[in-house]
Each structure stands twice: as structure tokens, then as C-alpha cells.
Amino acid sequence: MSTPTLPGPVADTAILLRRNLTHLLRSPDSVIMALALPIALMLLFVYVFGGAIDTGTDYLNYVVPGIILLCAAFGAATTAVSVCSDMTEGIVDRFRTLDIARSAFLTGHVLASVARNLITAALVIAVAIAMGFRPTSDPVRWAAMFALLALFLVALSYLSTALGLIARNPEAASGFTFVIMFIPYVSSAFVPAETMPTWLQGFAENQPVTPVIETVRGLLTDTEIGSNALLAVAWCSGIALVGFVWANVLYRRRLTH
């Protein structure tokens, strides 16, 4: 009896996913940086600024969801550098000579980013719990939180992939993703949006990251979610679709030039 095999594109994606994860294991410094930055920020905001910031609740419980999203944004943004490195170092030219589905290259990078950053987010949550973070979630809410986080990562990873295809070198790719890493700071991640100046408050309340943070916060700490869940899913789905189409168009153009 023959052993069932995966469809070609799925098998190719699995191979490239394994390749990207293997590269990650051989470069632990990138994992350490992705983990060290959000933890350092959490320590800074909780122990240095936390006593002066009034959020109406324990500040650690307030800030952890924002740190999780900041960690995800930072990790997903590094996908641009990985994609650009592959495009400039010649490995893609080798892929062009092999019978590999074109979509596998992009999907492999995105899935590796999602897997890497979900693990990093779990480690950040573990550190937060050690610091005194006390989530009130049940298993269903935990699952919903990680599902939303995975969707958020898919969206940012595809967007970062497109930016990596635009860049001509890894340094430029790193610069292009600065906006992705900056946006969580101008949201409700560290302070309530209503405490910001009026001209900034409107942006903070209506940008993509805020409803995601508020939904994650509600799922973890049982605060009001309201319409934020639908907005979060809509924003993430829209960004993922734009990033997917943009990245695939750019990749096909790069392969034909």
C-alpha cells in the first residue's frame, strides 16, 4: 500500500519552512534580541514608569498585552530582512532551477515567522507571569487570544515580506520595517488613548494595532472588548490580503527580471 504524499505546493512549503526554522536555530542571537527587547521594555515601563501612569488598574496587567503585540511586530518585521537576504544572496536563483512551487518561498518565510513569534510571545507571557501578571482567561479565551495573535502575525509577516522584496539590501529592508515596529507605541499599548493629546488620540484610537491590543487585553484580563474583536479581525485580514497580493506580485516581477 503506497504512503500518501502531500500535494506539491504543500510539500514544497513544508521543506522551505523547515529550512527557515533551521536557519533560526543556527542564529540564536536573533531569537535572543526578539525576546530581550520586549522584556526590557516591560521591565522599564512597569518598574520605572509604571508608578506614574494611571490606567485605572494594575499597570502590569494593563501593559502586558501591549508588550505581546510589540514583540510580535518586532519579530514579524525581521521577516523583511530574511526575505531580502535570500533575494540578494543568490539562493532564489537556485530555486528557479528546481521544480518548486513559487508560492512556497513566500509562504515558508511567513509560516516560519508565525511559529517563531508565537513561541517568543509565549515566553514573554511566562516572564510576565513571573513578574506578577495574573490573567483571568479560561482555555477558550487563551485559544482565541493565540488565534488572533497568529492572524496578526500573518498580516505583518506578509507585509514585511513585500517590503523585503522592495528593498535592494538587508539594511534597507530593516529601515523599511521601522514603521511596523513604531506603530504599537502610538496606540493603547502603554497608556489609554484618551490620555493622549487630541491630535494624537484620533490616530491612536483608529489605527490597526489598537483594536488588536484591546481584544488581547480583554481576552486575558476580562476587560471590555466591545466591537474591538471584529475590528481587529477585519484589520488583520485586510492587511494580510494586501500583503499577500503585493508580495506575490513583487516576487513574480523579481523572478522575471
Side-chain angles (χ1 to χ4, degrees):
M1 184 176 182
S2 61
T3 302
T5 58
L6 294 173
V10 177
D12 293 342
T13 299
I15 291 171
L16 291 177
L17 170 61
R18 184 175 62 184
R19 167 189 177 265
N20 293 326
L21 292 177
T22 300
H23 283 183
L24 176 66
L25 294 175
R26 293 175 179 174
S27 181
D29 54 318
S30 59
V31 180
I32 293 173
M33 276 301 301
L35 185 61
L37 177 62
I39 289 176
L41 285 172
M42 184 162 56
L43 293 171
L44 176 67
F45 275 91
V46 171
Y47 293 123
V48 178
F49 303 137
I53 299 176
D54 182 15
T55 61
T57 184
D58 180 75
Y59 188 65
L60 179 62
N61 288 337
Y62 181 89
V63 80
V64 166
I67 294 293
I68 294 171
L69 269 293
L70 180 65
C71 170
F74 177 81
T78 61
T79 306
V81 178
S82 299
V83 170
C84 186
S85 296
D86 278 350
M87 296 300 296
T88 57
E89 292 176 359
I91 187 65
V92 173
D93 292 331
R94 183 179 178 185
F95 290 159
R96 292 169 67 178
T97 66
L98 301 174
D99 185 20
I100 296 177
R102 286 187 175 185
S103 61
F105 173 75
L106 302 180
T107 308
H109 273 288
V110 170
L111 292 180
S113 172
V114 172
R116 177 181 72 244
N117 290 300
L118 284 177
I119 294 172
T120 303
L123 292 174
V124 169
I125 293 172
V127 172
I129 290 174
M131 291 172 58
F133 176 54
R134 294 296 177 262
T136 57
S137 298
D138 56 30
V140 174
R141 283 176 168 254
W142 275 108
M145 189 277 293
F146 275 107
L148 177 59
L149 183 58
L151 180 60
F152 180 73
L153 286 167
V154 168
L156 292 192
S157 297
Y158 265 119
L159 185 59
S160 294
T161 298
L163 294 175
L165 290 166
I166 289 176
R168 294 302 175 181
N169 56 67
E171 291 76 17
S174 179
F176 287 164
T177 58
F178 175 77
V179 174
I180 294 177
M181 293 184 286
F182 179 75
I183 285 179
Y185 289 97
V186 193
S187 68
S188 61
F190 302 107
V191 296
E194 58 267 21
T195 65
M196 299 178 183
T198 304
W199 60 271
L200 188 59
Q201 181 177 332
F203 175 78
E205 290 178 341
N206 296 286
Q207 57 119 312
V209 177
T210 292
V212 181
I213 290 174
E214 292 301 326
T215 304
V216 170
R217 184 176 286 129
L219 290 172
L220 289 179
T221 62
D222 199 25
T223 57
E224 182 66 29
I225 295 177
S227 62
N228 284 308
L230 290 177
L231 287 172
V233 172
W235 271 114
C236 290
S237 300
I239 294 171
L241 178 60
V242 170
F244 173 81
V245 173
W246 190 19
N248 276 276
V249 169
L250 290 172
Y251 186 55
R252 289 191 181 95
R253 287 180 180 176
R254 292 288 294 270
L255 291 182
T256 56
H257 288 81

